[in-house]
Structures are given as C-alpha cells and as structure tokens.
Amino acid sequence: MANITDTKIESLANTLRKEFSHGATVITSKSEEYQESIARWSSAAEKRAAIIVFPVCAEDVSNVIKLATSNRIEIAVRGGGHSTSGSSSTEGGICIDMSKLRKVSVDPKAKIVVAEGGALWADVDKAAAEHELAVVGGTVNTTGVGGLTLGGGYGYLVGEHGLVIDNLLEVQMVLADGNIVIASRHREPKLFWAVRGAGASFGVILSFTFRAHEMNRPVWGGTLAIDIGEIDKVVEFANRFLEKSDPKSALIWGFKALSANTFCIIAAVFYNGPEPLATDLFSGLIGLKLHENFTGNRLYWTMNTLLNEDLKAGPRRSMKGSAFISPLDLKFAKTCLEDLRNLIQKIPDASMSIMVFEFLPFWKLFSFSQDCTAFANRGAYGNLLWIMGWTQADHDKEIRQWTQDMSSKSRQEFEKSRMTARIGGVVADGVGEYFNYDGIGVGGTQVFGDNFAQLQKLKKKYDPNNVFSKGPQLVLPNTGA
Ligand SMILES: Cc1cc2nc3c(=O)[nH]c(=O)nc-3n(C[C@H](O)[C@H](O)[C@H](O)COP(=O)(O)OP(=O)(O)OC[C@H]3O[C@@H](n4cnc5c(N)ncnc54)[C@H](O)[C@@H]3O)c2cc1C
C-alpha cells in the first residue's frame, strides 16, 4: 500500500467530493466528525483512516474503488462496524462507510425485502414487521446486515428457514475493477456462490434481496438469569432440547459474571408459536432457580433487541468462536465456566465478558449441501463463543491471547468429540468454525473446508490484486496463490 502525504490526502478527498453524487460526503482527520466516524462496536477495532467516504449510490462506490486502486491505497468497507478484528477499519487507507445506505423496501405480496448495504438488522426487522413479515437475521439488531450476511448469518429463525444466506436471493455489488453487477442464482452464479460465506473478499454490496417469511402473530421468548448452581440441569436440558430439535425453537445460553466471584447462567429462549407449547418446551429451564425471568409473548423484532444492552458498543472487545457437539459434555462446560472465573478474578476489568453456547436446531441447514454456497459450517453441532469486554488498552494483549487459547481448547474438544459423533445418521462434517465470530487470521480450509480451492479460483478471477483484503483470507501469503 502506498504511503500518502497530507497534501495528497486532501487532493484525493477533493477529487472524490467533485465526483460524488449529491448527499455523499468525504471526510479526513481534519473534519469535526472524524473521531465518531472511525468508532466501531469495539473501541479496540478503531483505526485511523486517511479518508472516510459516505457514498449514496453504486457509482460513488465505483469511483472510490477506481481512485483507491489507481493510487494503491488500502480499502476497508464498514457495514454495521461490529467485527472486532478491525476488518472494517483501515490504518491510513480509505474507508467506504455504508451508513448513508440504510433504506429497506418490502414487497409484501412477493414476500421480498431489499436492504441497502449499510442497513442494520433493526432497519430490516422493523420494515418487515410493518407487513407482518420477518427475515432470518441476527439476534442483536444493532449489527450490520452487511458483515453478518456475507459470513453466513445465524438467528432465531435458522431452525425453520436456514441461514441468512440461504434466504438471500440477489445482491447488487461493485467489484474490484469498479464494475457494478447483479449476482444471483441466475446471473453471475459463481460470484453469488462466493458471496454467500466469503462475500467481504469479493466486493462492496450495495443491496441485499432477501426472501421474507410470514410473521403475523407474536412469538414467545425472552431472557432468563438462572442460578449457577443449576448448571448440571441446564446442560441436561439443553442436550435434550437439541435432540428434540423443534425447528421453531432456539436456545442460546452461557455464563456471565455478576461480580468477580459470582456468576449466573444467562439464556435467550425463543419459540415461534403459541405460549402453551413454548412454556411446555422450556419448562425444564423455567422451573429452575431463576434470578430473572423476562419471557413472554412479544413481537418477533423486539426479540432481537433483548441482548442489545448486554452487548452494547463502546468497550474494547474481542470475539472468538469454535463449536461443540451435542451432547455437550458437562465437565467441559464447567471447565469453560472455571476458565472465565479465573480470568475475571485475575483481571476484574474483563468482568463484562460472557461465554455462550448456541443450541440452534440444525436439520434445516442440511437441506442445503455443504458446497451449495462458500459457507462450510453446516454440521450437527452448535457454535460456541467467547465475547470479551474490557476498558483498558493495557489488557489487550493478555485478554486477546486468553481468548485465542480458549478457542483452541474448545476446538480440541470439538475435534475429539466429533471422532465418534453421528447424530441421527448425520456426520458432523462441517468445518466447526464460523468466520463471523472473528475467524480473521484463521484462513483456508479451516474456515471453508473443501470449498476453499474454488474460492481461491474465483478470487483470482474477480479480485486478482486482492483489493478486498480485509475479509476472509483467500490469497495465501507469499505464494500469490
Ligand atoms: C453484538 C454482536 C452480536 C452478534 N450476533 C450475531 C448473530 O446473531 N448472528 C450472526 O450470525 N452473527 C452475529 N454476530 C457476528 C457478526 O455477524 C459479525 O460481527 C459481522 O461481521 C457484523 O457485521 P457488521 O456489518 O456489523 O460489521 P463490519 O465490521 O462493518 O463488517 C464486517 C465485515 O463485513 C464487511 N462488510 C460489511 N458490510 C459490507 C458491505 N455492504 N459490502 C461489502 N462488505 C461489507 C466489512 O468490510 C468487514 O470485512 C454478532 C456480533 C456482535 C458484535
């Protein structure tokens, strides 16, 4: 990447200002809004971009890409800004911030929702709800449609309708050469295949077209805080829950610190159906010793607001995932709790960190083959996730290393248990790694399995110079392969 001087930055910024459509803006470090423009969900993911552009149409994006590539300047694209790896930030490059592109339109008759590339899930959920529809989307509605979709996308409706990408019908995107294209099953099908799982490495998405689903009555769900002494029963319940695998249901649970010594089990429970069936299904949890029970009938879109407060933007954050095979081993779950407890006792600043297991019914995911999209994490298992939060930069190194160690430890447990796992005749043959849980740094077959070779070929075709270098690593270092 070229080093750019302050004079060059101002000159490039002025060129863009002249080329841009009405409403689009360009800012540099001299602008008042600069600091807030580089802010991210994790303050540790902030980087000092030389120029930040806020396009309002595909042509604006195309102009930026052409200008950046001809001057050999790094590009980053910001959707909702939630990745903790810094993949939507750039040190000294140009950041294409999509936040002026948040419009969502709904065709209620065709049950189709079109979201612009900078929309948040709150925008989509609310627009769809106005027409008694819902789109499979994330469980925290402050996250961006962009990053979450391009990596795969899990949410409460996965059991019934598959991943977010399984409901993606079309995208409009700008490629590395500045060309504006539509990709779908019928147009540029190979590109569309790559977009669904590795999209951030192929271009800037201007709009996402989703299949929507009827949602004309309240769902049942909410959050629970369960006494930590109930851990044996929670693990037993969760394992039976996944065995039953009611597609309308979802359960996410894990550990949260109340103080350095006191922990509780937190759970988000969901059922897309009537209350009596839901409370019957979850009676094994609701009947435990609870510190808080915030469950009931509610509109689907509000379900995706309930975790927002616990996961709000601002602190320094790191996120690392792995997977677990059901039945989840109680001993392993207790080790996770102990590890988290030990960390928080050592570094009380990390007490806002949580750890979760996602028990989402996985059968629907198997109605799509492992190679029908680039995403390769379809397996008879659940995601497991460490979401760390702290305030002092001095702790960055130690907490990040700890999270990495926990992820490796979980991975070993996953590999061990999958040697023997065969659930209902389905072998757990997915990669066991969800890229969006900051798989940055983990590349190749570990994230994309057998799909990696095809992805590399497509990367060479669509982005031979690795203009979109901040998503999944498809170009191997030193080899140019
Ligand atoms: C609080 C929280 C809750 C989460 N909940 C879920 C969940 O329920 N389900 C789930 O599957 N994941 C979840 N995630 C993970 C989430 O999918 C990733 O963090 C994702 O990267 C967020 O997307 P974003 O657009 O907000 O992030 P950003 O940091 O803006 O972008 C992430 C990546 O996507 C690229 N990108 C974003 N928009 C575009 C675009 N329009 N065109 C091209 N590239 C783009 C960026 O360049 C970057 O590489 C959660 C994360 C957090 C922090």
PDB file of all heavy atoms in Angstrom, residues 39-42 45 78-84 88 120 144:
ATOM      1  N   ALA A  39     -15.189   5.315  14.907  1.00  0.00           N
ATOM      2  CA  ALA A  39     -15.624   4.490  16.049  1.00  0.00           C
ATOM      3  C   ALA A  39     -16.207   3.171  15.556  1.00  0.00           C
ATOM      4  O   ALA A  39     -16.836   3.106  14.503  1.00  0.00           O
ATOM      5  CB  ALA A  39     -16.659   5.257  16.862  1.00  0.00           C
ATOM      6  N   ARG A  40     -15.984   2.134  16.318  1.00  0.00           N
ATOM      7  CA  ARG A  40     -16.521   0.808  15.997  1.00  0.00           C
ATOM      8  C   ARG A  40     -17.176   0.225  17.251  1.00  0.00           C
ATOM      9  O   ARG A  40     -16.969   0.714  18.348  1.00  0.00           O
ATOM     10  CB  ARG A  40     -15.403  -0.147  15.524  1.00  0.00           C
ATOM     11  CG  ARG A  40     -14.725   0.273  14.208  1.00  0.00           C
ATOM     12  CD  ARG A  40     -15.693   0.176  13.032  1.00  0.00           C
ATOM     13  NE  ARG A  40     -15.089   0.533  11.755  1.00  0.00           N
ATOM     14  CZ  ARG A  40     -15.132   1.750  11.213  1.00  0.00           C
ATOM     15  NH1 ARG A  40     -15.749   2.739  11.844  1.00  0.00           N
ATOM     16  NH2 ARG A  40     -14.592   1.972  10.028  1.00  0.00           N
ATOM     17  N   TRP A  41     -17.911  -0.886  17.055  1.00  0.00           N
ATOM     18  CA  TRP A  41     -18.553  -1.546  18.200  1.00  0.00           C
ATOM     19  C   TRP A  41     -17.512  -1.824  19.279  1.00  0.00           C
ATOM     20  O   TRP A  41     -17.733  -1.586  20.458  1.00  0.00           O
ATOM     21  CB  TRP A  41     -19.221  -2.846  17.734  1.00  0.00           C
ATOM     22  CG  TRP A  41     -19.927  -3.560  18.836  1.00  0.00           C
ATOM     23  CD1 TRP A  41     -21.081  -3.181  19.449  1.00  0.00           C
ATOM     24  CD2 TRP A  41     -19.511  -4.776  19.468  1.00  0.00           C
ATOM     25  NE1 TRP A  41     -21.415  -4.098  20.434  1.00  0.00           N
ATOM     26  CE2 TRP A  41     -20.466  -5.082  20.459  1.00  0.00           C
ATOM     27  CE3 TRP A  41     -18.430  -5.635  19.291  1.00  0.00           C
ATOM     28  CZ2 TRP A  41     -20.372  -6.222  21.260  1.00  0.00           C
ATOM     29  CZ3 TRP A  41     -18.335  -6.764  20.091  1.00  0.00           C
ATOM     30  CH2 TRP A  41     -19.301  -7.049  21.060  1.00  0.00           C
ATOM     31  N   SER A  42     -16.357  -2.310  18.873  1.00  0.00           N
ATOM     32  CA  SER A  42     -15.237  -2.476  19.795  1.00  0.00           C
ATOM     33  C   SER A  42     -14.300  -1.303  19.617  1.00  0.00           C
ATOM     34  O   SER A  42     -13.785  -1.083  18.512  1.00  0.00           O
ATOM     35  CB  SER A  42     -14.477  -3.769  19.485  1.00  0.00           C
ATOM     36  OG  SER A  42     -13.202  -3.722  20.091  1.00  0.00           O
ATOM     37  N   ALA A  45     -11.107  -1.849  17.860  1.00  0.00           N
ATOM     38  CA  ALA A  45     -11.085  -2.100  16.405  1.00  0.00           C
ATOM     39  C   ALA A  45     -11.007  -0.798  15.599  1.00  0.00           C
ATOM     40  O   ALA A  45     -11.072  -0.813  14.384  1.00  0.00           O
ATOM     41  CB  ALA A  45     -12.323  -2.894  15.997  1.00  0.00           C
ATOM     42  N   ARG A  78     -17.145  -0.463   5.714  1.00  0.00           N
ATOM     43  CA  ARG A  78     -17.853  -0.566   7.003  1.00  0.00           C
ATOM     44  C   ARG A  78     -19.342  -0.756   6.775  1.00  0.00           C
ATOM     45  O   ARG A  78     -19.988   0.026   6.074  1.00  0.00           O
ATOM     46  CB  ARG A  78     -17.643   0.706   7.826  1.00  0.00           C
ATOM     47  CG  ARG A  78     -18.338   0.646   9.175  1.00  0.00           C
ATOM     48  CD  ARG A  78     -18.322   2.012   9.831  1.00  0.00           C
ATOM     49  NE  ARG A  78     -18.757   1.954  11.207  1.00  0.00           N
ATOM     50  CZ  ARG A  78     -20.036   2.040  11.594  1.00  0.00           C
ATOM     51  NH1 ARG A  78     -20.989   2.181  10.693  1.00  0.00           N
ATOM     52  NH2 ARG A  78     -20.353   1.985  12.878  1.00  0.00           N
ATOM     53  N   GLY A  79     -19.889  -1.838   7.355  1.00  0.00           N
ATOM     54  CA  GLY A  79     -21.337  -2.054   7.329  1.00  0.00           C
ATOM     55  C   GLY A  79     -21.891  -1.534   8.653  1.00  0.00           C
ATOM     56  O   GLY A  79     -22.109  -0.344   8.844  1.00  0.00           O
ATOM     57  N   GLY A  80     -22.060  -2.456   9.631  1.00  0.00           N
ATOM     58  CA  GLY A  80     -22.535  -2.060  10.955  1.00  0.00           C
ATOM     59  C   GLY A  80     -21.399  -1.850  11.940  1.00  0.00           C
ATOM     60  O   GLY A  80     -21.633  -1.496  13.095  1.00  0.00           O
ATOM     61  N   GLY A  81     -20.164  -2.120  11.524  1.00  0.00           N
ATOM     62  CA  GLY A  81     -18.980  -1.857  12.362  1.00  0.00           C
ATOM     63  C   GLY A  81     -18.815  -2.799  13.545  1.00  0.00           C
ATOM     64  O   GLY A  81     -18.147  -2.453  14.519  1.00  0.00           O
ATOM     65  N   HIS A  82     -19.378  -4.009  13.486  1.00  0.00           N
ATOM     66  CA  HIS A  82     -19.345  -4.897  14.652  1.00  0.00           C
ATOM     67  C   HIS A  82     -18.205  -5.906  14.666  1.00  0.00           C
ATOM     68  O   HIS A  82     -18.029  -6.609  15.657  1.00  0.00           O
ATOM     69  CB  HIS A  82     -20.676  -5.639  14.791  1.00  0.00           C
ATOM     70  CG  HIS A  82     -21.703  -4.841  15.546  1.00  0.00           C
ATOM     71  ND1 HIS A  82     -22.107  -3.602  15.126  1.00  0.00           N
ATOM     72  CD2 HIS A  82     -22.380  -5.093  16.696  1.00  0.00           C
ATOM     73  CE1 HIS A  82     -22.997  -3.122  15.977  1.00  0.00           C
ATOM     74  NE2 HIS A  82     -23.187  -4.009  16.945  1.00  0.00           N
ATOM     75  N   SER A  83     -17.462  -6.022  13.587  1.00  0.00           N
ATOM     76  CA  SER A  83     -16.385  -7.021  13.636  1.00  0.00           C
ATOM     77  C   SER A  83     -15.331  -6.514  14.609  1.00  0.00           C
ATOM     78  O   SER A  83     -15.010  -5.324  14.630  1.00  0.00           O
ATOM     79  CB  SER A  83     -15.785  -7.251  12.251  1.00  0.00           C
ATOM     80  OG  SER A  83     -15.055  -6.126  11.863  1.00  0.00           O
ATOM     81  N   THR A  84     -14.799  -7.422  15.438  1.00  0.00           N
ATOM     82  CA  THR A  84     -13.832  -6.988  16.447  1.00  0.00           C
ATOM     83  C   THR A  84     -12.401  -7.085  15.928  1.00  0.00           C
ATOM     84  O   THR A  84     -11.471  -6.666  16.591  1.00  0.00           O
ATOM     85  CB  THR A  84     -13.955  -7.843  17.733  1.00  0.00           C
ATOM     86  OG1 THR A  84     -13.857  -9.214  17.360  1.00  0.00           O
ATOM     87  CG2 THR A  84     -15.259  -7.585  18.434  1.00  0.00           C
ATOM     88  N   SER A  88     -13.307  -3.809   9.284  1.00  0.00           N
ATOM     89  CA  SER A  88     -13.998  -2.709   8.617  1.00  0.00           C
ATOM     90  C   SER A  88     -13.295  -1.372   8.875  1.00  0.00           C
ATOM     91  O   SER A  88     -13.876  -0.309   8.686  1.00  0.00           O
ATOM     92  CB  SER A  88     -15.468  -2.643   9.059  1.00  0.00           C
ATOM     93  OG  SER A  88     -15.569  -2.576  10.467  1.00  0.00           O
ATOM     94  N   LEU A 120     -28.858  -1.759   9.119  1.00  0.00           N
ATOM     95  CA  LEU A 120     -28.680  -2.575  10.325  1.00  0.00           C
ATOM     96  C   LEU A 120     -29.856  -3.540  10.394  1.00  0.00           C
ATOM     97  O   LEU A 120     -30.896  -3.309   9.763  1.00  0.00           O
ATOM     98  CB  LEU A 120     -28.657  -1.689  11.575  1.00  0.00           C
ATOM     99  CG  LEU A 120     -27.627  -0.548  11.578  1.00  0.00           C
ATOM    100  CD1 LEU A 120     -27.671   0.213  12.903  1.00  0.00           C
ATOM    101  CD2 LEU A 120     -26.220  -1.084  11.336  1.00  0.00           C
ATOM    102  N   GLY A 144     -24.713  -5.056  11.656  1.00  0.00           N
ATOM    103  CA  GLY A 144     -24.941  -4.710  10.261  1.00  0.00           C
ATOM    104  C   GLY A 144     -25.447  -5.896   9.451  1.00  0.00           C
ATOM    105  O   GLY A 144     -25.013  -7.034   9.660  1.00  0.00           O
TER     106      GLY A 144
END
